[in-house]
Amino acid sequence: MTDMIFIKGVSVHAHHGVLDYEGVVGQRFIIDLELDTDIDLASRSDRLADTVSYANVVATAVAAFKDTNYKLLERAAGAVADAILAEFSKISAVKITVHKPHAPIAAIFDDVGVVLRRART
């Protein structure tokens, strides 16, 4: 049985993008996380030690997202997934959605981004 913890709408200012000015000025990105983990014990014990700390997951995700300036969202999302799986052994798989609502696209659009799924091997 796999349960899920989700964290949606983490807003981060970072410097990812193919264009030079994106690396200098930066922009807002929004990260959504879905974490596959067994929370059966925590659902009965009411102990943080039996689950995954949401605060620690967010801190890990934000640090991984901001540590390096990537050209591609795909790589930035991959860095987040890699960091979460490395840091939290209770998480068996992750789904990372990165939104780039102000991407330099010559069109009117609501949102653009990537969705990446990674599982522990």
Side-chain angles (χ1 to χ4, degrees), residues 1-70:
M1 170 179 55
T2 302
D3 303 312
M4 181 183 45
I5 294 171
F6 69 89
I7 303 166
K8 295 195 183 276
V10 178
S11 187
V12 180
H13 187 271
H15 298 86
H16 306 307
V18 173
L19 303 177
D20 289 339
Y21 78 86
E22 292 179 290
V24 176
V25 176
Q27 61 189 286
R28 182 174 65 104
F29 297 85
I30 300 165
I31 303 171
D32 300 329
L33 306 168
E34 293 183 15
L35 316 167
D36 289 349
T37 185
D38 185 350
I39 56 176
D40 181 58
L41 184 57
S43 73
R44 291 181 278 115
S45 72
D46 199 30
R47 293 181 34 204
L48 180 59
D50 295 331
T51 189
V52 176
S53 166
Y54 311 157
N56 291 348
V57 169
V58 168
T60 297
V62 169
F65 193 77
K66 292 179 78 168
D67 275 354
T68 303
N69 295 353
Y70 298 109

Side-chain angles (χ1 to χ4, degrees), residues 46-115:
D46 199 30
R47 293 181 34 204
L48 180 59
D50 295 331
T51 189
V52 176
S53 166
Y54 311 157
N56 291 348
V57 169
V58 168
T60 297
V62 169
F65 193 77
K66 292 179 78 168
D67 275 354
T68 303
N69 295 353
Y70 298 109
K71 294 191 182 313
L72 301 179
L73 283 186
E74 292 84 347
R75 180 61 193 111
V80 172
D82 292 345
I84 289 172
L85 290 173
E87 184 70 25
F88 302 96
S89 61
K90 291 181 181 178
I91 296 174
S92 60
V94 298
K95 176 181 170 187
I96 312 292
T97 303
V98 179
H99 306 262
K100 188 174 180 179
H102 304 291
I105 299 172
I108 297 171
F109 63 95
D110 288 333
D111 198 7
V112 66
V114 299
V115 177

